[in-house]
Amino acid sequence: MRQNIRVTRAVGRGAARAAKLDQTCADAVGVARSALSEVDPDHVGEHLSALAEGDRVVTHLFNCLLPGYRGWRWAVTVTRAPRSRHVTISETALLPGPDALLAPEWVPWQERLRPGDLGVGDILPTDADDERLVPGYLQSDDWAVEEVSWELGLGRPRVMSREGRLDTAQRWYESDHGPDAPISVAAPRTARCGGCGFYLPLAGSMRQAFGVCANMYAADDGRVVSVDHGCGAHSEVLTEQNNAPVDELPTVYDDSEVEEVH
C-alpha cells in the first residue's frame, strides 16, 4: 500500500491570507471516500472534517480504523479546475491526528543502554575517550588504587577518573542499595550498614561511603551498599525475649485410665 505523505505546505504570495473553503470540493465527500475504497475499504471510518488547502483545493479527513493506529486519520485531497464542477483526486495519505498513537522518538543505543542490560555473551566496547577513565600512566588521585596497582605490578592501561568515581557514587547512592530504598526505609533507624558486622568497606576514597554486604541472609548479599543503607538483617538487631516466668500447672491423674497391677 503506497501512500503519498505530505510533509510541508506550499508557501507563496497567497500564504498570507487564509484559503477559502471551496464548497464544491467540500461537498465531494463521496468522491474522497471512493478514493480510499481502493486503498483500504475495511478501515475507513466516519468523515471528520474538510480543510481548505488553497484555491479549489480541499482535504477531507476520515477516521482510521486500522489496529494500532489510534488517533490517525485518512486524508484525501481533492481539487477542481476553474469554472468546472468536476472534482478529482489529488492525493491520499494516512496522517497522525492531535491524539495519535505514535512511535517513540528514536534514541541511539548508547543512550538507551541501562545498568544491568549486559547479558551472558554480550560484548560492550568502551570508547577510547570515555570520560570515566584516564590513562594508567597518569595515575589516579585515589591513593589506595595506586598502592595496589604498583604493589602487584598490574600496569592497567586505564583507571577510573575522579569524574567516573563521582558518577558511580551518585548512581549507587540513588539506587535500591542507598538510604532511600524501601527496604532501608522500613528497617529500624539504628540498623544502618555502617554499624553492621557484615559490612565490608571498600578501599580508597569510596571507603567513606560504600561497602559490600556479606550477610548471606540479606537481600543485598554480595552487593555494594551505602554506609547509611539498612535492612532487617543488621547484625545488631536483636529480638526482645520474654523472660516472664511460666506458671507450672499441677499434675492431674485420671484414675479411670490407671490399670492396677497385682
Side-chain angles (χ1 to χ4, degrees), residues 168-169 172-173 175-179 192-215 218-230:
T168 300
W172 287 350
Y173 199 77
S175 71
D176 290 339
H177 313 297
R192 301 299 100 183
C193 291
C196 179
F198 298 107
Y199 179 77
L200 303 176
L202 295 183
S205 58
M206 288 290 197
R207 181 186 184 91
Q208 301 176 7
F210 299 100
V212 177
C213 176
N215 188 341
D220 295 306
D221 179 41
R223 296 181 173 89
V224 174
V225 292
S226 68
V227 68
D228 50 356
H229 182 68

